[in-house]
Amino acid sequence: MKLTLIKPNIGRLEHSLYVDEGRMEPLQLGVLAGLTPTGVDIVLYDDRLEAIPYDEPTDLVAITVETYTARRAYEIGAEFRQRGVPVIMGGMQPTLIPEEVQPHADSIYIGDAEFRWREVIEDARRGRLKPVYQASVGPPQPGTLTRRDIFKGKGYLPITLMQFSRGCRFACTFCAVSTFFDKTQYCRDVREVVQEIEAAERQIIFFVDDNLLSNFEAAKELCRALIPLRVHWVSQGSIDMTQDRELMALMVKSGCIGMVVGFESITPHSLRWMKKSPNFIGGFNDYKPQLDIIRDYGIQLWAAFTLGHDHDTRESIEQTLDFAWENKFPLAAFNILVPYPGTPLYQKLAAENRLLYDGKWWLHPEYRFNYAAFQPKNMSPEELTEACWHLRSTYNSFSSLVRRAFDLKTNMRSLYKLGVYLRYSPIFRKEVFKKHGMRFGLR
Ligand code: B12
Ligand code: SF4
């Protein structure tokens, strides 16, 4: 039996094919490959960097689908199905909104692959795929290592993606992860993480956990196990990490060089509105005490913001740029607030009749990447789109990149950290400029 795994692109620029600069290994497909019984031939096609050979013979096509890639995934699925090849779709979108995905595939998979993927392969072998596989969610990959041989030769960034945990205990109203994992974090056996690191070739790891620090004690256990491995790692975590100095010290000692942190907003009213509770733990004081602590430990930050909440104004959005500059964040993502299907934010905006593009912005032919998909409270959708673009383009201008390099506590703390800054901030900059206004799908 032959299995074809597909990672879809988001879409294209108005007049040219979009090629993802910051492309990383599609971990979910490495996990699917790892879960697949031996004896099945596996091939991976990554639509972000290569053409998909639709006519190449195969027995089953498995496509991973997020909200952003749904339109393109449906196009790819249709090509294979026209040729009589069965298609199964799984991931964030089929789990959050199965009724939309179902007509585009022979079978949909809801939840984590770990639970029923072997059954899917068995059914496909017998030509008896079920229309729906309803699985639950849980700890990543018990007893299974990611198969990384399928990534070879694709030109991915030299970073090893890995997971220690999935989900997060917080309940931010805009967060698809909070909905997907129902406000719960599931941790993997630390010994298996160590085993996977030992088997990997590179020693720079991106733990793609939604909030690696959702449970401090679990995170400490991981850090302790990482220390002897002498790796460098980055991950994502909430800012309440600063409440526990032992945790911070262990993170640094175990090789942490940077963290993606969701600041989301500098406006307390907006933070309350979106239920971003980790940002209030220990009191809210313009993030100054927390940032001082993070700088003392020399951790480089990828600061993430979501802009367009009901208490945000044009002025408060502009002040967010000043805040980022004052703190010289090596990377800052000024994301427009996005109503992802299934989230409390989506339901609220739908109930208030504030969703644009007929509600399903991700499928609408007129929608473009990083455009407002809802009616904001204090400005027009166009003004919100423009304000976010202004922040993104200004912060990622060449002069800003140079200005931000000079930070003795983070970017210039060591040659290694400067190297990371110089290597990755231009890639991020390119992505920002290339992706803005991109169409979804290729047709
Ligand atoms: C790492 C990551 C990235 C990396 C990309 C890595 C890469 N390979 O290219 C970076 C930082 C570049 C990135 C970028 C973006 N990301 Co991102 N990212 C993630 C993150 C944190 C982890 C993904 C991952 O590897 N998980 C590990 C794997 C093993 O788990 P998994 O994907 O959930 O897969 C499991 C199941 O879902 C299922 N499954 C998945 N696919 C399939 C397929 C089949 C057939 C089956 C049976 C099962 C199955 O089985 C798997 C194993 O259990 C997720 C959060 C998350 N929890 O998904 C966000 C997430 C996917 N990203 C998100 C977003 C919005 C983006 C951006 C659009 C952000 C932006 N504004 O630019 C961009 C562009 C994304 C794109 N498609 O191009 C959102 C998507 C929301 C949604 N509803 O779709 C998420 C969910 C974050 C969030 N909190 O909302 N991202
Ligand atoms: S802290 Fe982060 S991962 Fe957790 S629910 Fe909030 S936005 Fe989602």
Side-chain angles (χ1 to χ4, degrees), residues 24-25 28 48 64 66-67 113-114 166 210 236 340:
M24 298 186 201
E25 309 164 343
Q28 49 292 102
R48 296 174 297 175
T64 182
E66 292 166 13
T67 305
E114 281 81 348
R166 289 183 183 152
D210 304 304
Q236 319 195 99
Y340 293 115

Side-chain angles (χ1 to χ4, degrees), residues 168-172 174-175 177-178 210-211 238 264 276 278:
C168 167
R169 72 189 166 98
F170 295 110
C172 308
F174 61 88
C175 181
V177 159
S178 173
D210 304 304
N211 180 359
S238 43
E264 317 304 351
K276 186 82 192 182

